[in-house]
């Protein structure tokens, strides 16, 4: 079986097709999914999905790309995370690719999420793009990793270097690969995936974005995460069942979900 460790099935284009989305998951042996929060106004929708479907979990957080949105406090995140259906804080992190100018607000928001993670014991979902140096620095300064008493988490939709992956793994973080790893142009990322041990790996769709080959360019959904697993199995020259089993165990372990 497979688990989509990061999706956005609350987005309108997927939420409107929920029965079909869930059916496709079952058809492809995708047993669970984590619906990830991007802002506070849409958080109630995410929580409702997780409460309605026992095999869907949720997170609470504000994406680093969302500039004009209510800013969370540590107390806000702690309060909203007080549900067994909320298994993570995020997605959070830094993104210097999409935004320019003084991004200190982004760094402060990231610190807020790390502090909420430490307070709740719930792991972080970290987004980093064109900002890996500051991301790792702030993770260390705020004690995000298990090595510093934090809850660790996952570097989602990973596209950074092996050096960044190793720095994150040293702090107890998992590395999650999306459909990007299947793209022909992603040779550097494929080289990283070969080196990341399965014991530290998760798989995801980040749907509705980044559909894996052979669906690239189409709307993504959790049922397609098995194609990421299939590609990684080929890349690492290991049985598909091994990738499926290990990434599933990693998911349950990281997010402290009994199964």
């Amino acid at each position: 079986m497979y688990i989509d460790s990061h999706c956005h099935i609350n987005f309108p284009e997927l939420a409107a097709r929920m029965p079909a989305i869930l059916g496709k998951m079952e058809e492809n042996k995708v047993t669970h999914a984590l619906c990830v929060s991007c802002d506070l106004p849409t958080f109630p929708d995410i929580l409702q999905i997780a409460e309605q479907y026992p095999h869907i979990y949720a997170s609470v957080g504000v994406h680093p790309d969302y500039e004009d949105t209510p800013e969370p406090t540590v107390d806000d995140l702690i309060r909203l995370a007080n549900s067994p259906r909320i298994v993570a804080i995020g997605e959070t992190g830094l993104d210097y690719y999409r935004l320019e100018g003084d991004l200190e607000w982004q760094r402060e928001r990231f610190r807020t999420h790390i502090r909420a993670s430490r307070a709740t014991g719930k792991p972080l979902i970290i987004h980093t793009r064109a900002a890996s140096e500051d991301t790792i620095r702030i993770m260390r300064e705020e004690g995000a990793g298990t090595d510093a008493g934090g809850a660790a988490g996952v570097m989602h939709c990973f596209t950074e270097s092996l050096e960044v992956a190793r720095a994150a793994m040293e702090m107890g973080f998992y590395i999650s690969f999306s459909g990007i790893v299947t793209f022909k142009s992603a040779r550097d990322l494929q080289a990283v995936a070969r080196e990341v041990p399965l014991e530290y790996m998760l798989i995801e769709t980040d749907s509705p974005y980044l559909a894996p080959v052979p669906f690239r360019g189409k709307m993504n959904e959790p049922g397609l995460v098995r194609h990421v697993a299939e590609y990684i199995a080929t890349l690492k020259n290991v049985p598909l069942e091994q990738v499926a089993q290990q990434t599933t165990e990693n998911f349950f372990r990281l997010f402290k979900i009994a199964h």
Side-chain angles (χ1 to χ4, degrees):
M1 63 184 188
Y2 309 92
I3 295 180
D4 184 358
S5 67
H6 191 114
C7 63
H8 301 286
I9 54 176
N10 63 301
F11 284 15
E13 56 268 47
L14 293 181
R17 299 173 47 240
M18 192 63 73
I21 295 295
L22 299 177
K24 187 83 168 182
M25 285 175 63
E26 185 176 4
E27 179 185 328
N28 285 281
K29 299 180 180 178
V30 180
T31 59
H32 300 77
L34 176 50
C35 186
V36 175
S37 172
C38 288
D39 61 21
L40 298 186
T42 60
F43 172 73
D45 299 331
I46 290 174
L47 181 58
Q48 183 178 22
I49 290 171
E51 290 178 337
Q52 184 174 357
Y53 302 106
H55 61 313
I56 308 294
Y57 295 92
S59 72
V60 60
V62 181
H63 195 290
D65 282 353
Y66 287 40
E67 187 170 8
D68 298 319
T69 193
E71 194 68 41
T73 65
V74 174
D75 287 343
D76 288 336
L77 295 172
I78 292 171
R79 175 176 52 84
L80 294 172
N82 187 28
S83 162
R85 307 304 301 166
I86 305 302
V87 299
I89 303 294
E91 63 187 279
T92 182
L94 302 176
D95 192 322
Y96 298 168
Y97 181 82
R98 297 182 191 277
L99 299 174
E100 297 179 345
D102 183 3
L103 298 180
E104 184 58 29
W105 62 268
Q106 208 180 77
R107 292 183 283 273
E108 284 305 309
R109 180 184 293 174
F110 186 24
R111 293 181 189 276
T112 293
H113 283 75
I114 297 173
R115 291 165 189 172
S117 169
R118 286 182 60 94
T120 60
K122 296 190 177 186
L124 290 156
I125 299 170
I126 293 184
H127 167 113
T128 182
R129 192 171 185 193
S132 60
E133 186 175 332
D134 279 358
T135 299
I136 295 294
R137 175 178 59 81
I138 291 173
M139 287 164 66
R140 287 175 173 151
E141 287 176 358
E142 294 291 336
T146 51
D147 62 327
V154 54
M155 309 298 284
H156 115 87
C157 195
F158 194 79
T159 55
E160 303 297 328
S161 68
L162 182 58
E163 180 183 16
V164 174
R166 284 175 172 156
M169 288 188 289
E170 285 173 4
M171 288 186 272
F173 279 76
Y174 290 78
I175 310 298
S176 183
F177 293 95
S178 69
I180 293 175
V181 78
T182 71
F183 299 172
K184 286 183 179 178
S185 58
R187 288 178 184 157
D188 289 347
L189 183 61
Q190 289 158 9
V192 173
R194 285 192 190 95
E195 296 298 324
V196 171
L198 280 176
E199 291 75 16
Y200 280 91
M201 190 179 291
L202 294 177
I203 54 175
E204 66 171 275
T205 60
D206 202 14
S207 50
Y209 311 115
L210 305 172
V213 173
F215 300 95
R216 186 175 184 184
K218 299 181 180 179
M219 189 183 300
N220 202 2
E221 59 181 273
L224 299 182
V225 77
R226 67 172 297 157
H227 295 277
V228 178
E230 289 169 353
Y231 190 87
I232 286 172
T234 301
L235 197 64
K236 296 178 81 68
N237 194 27
V238 298
L240 176 59
E241 294 75 15
Q242 186 178 346
V243 175
Q245 180 179 354
Q246 187 67 63
T247 55
T248 295
E249 289 177 2
N250 292 345
F251 178 88
F252 289 131
R253 183 183 306 111
L254 173 62
F255 296 111
K256 304 178 181 70
I257 297 170
H259 67 289

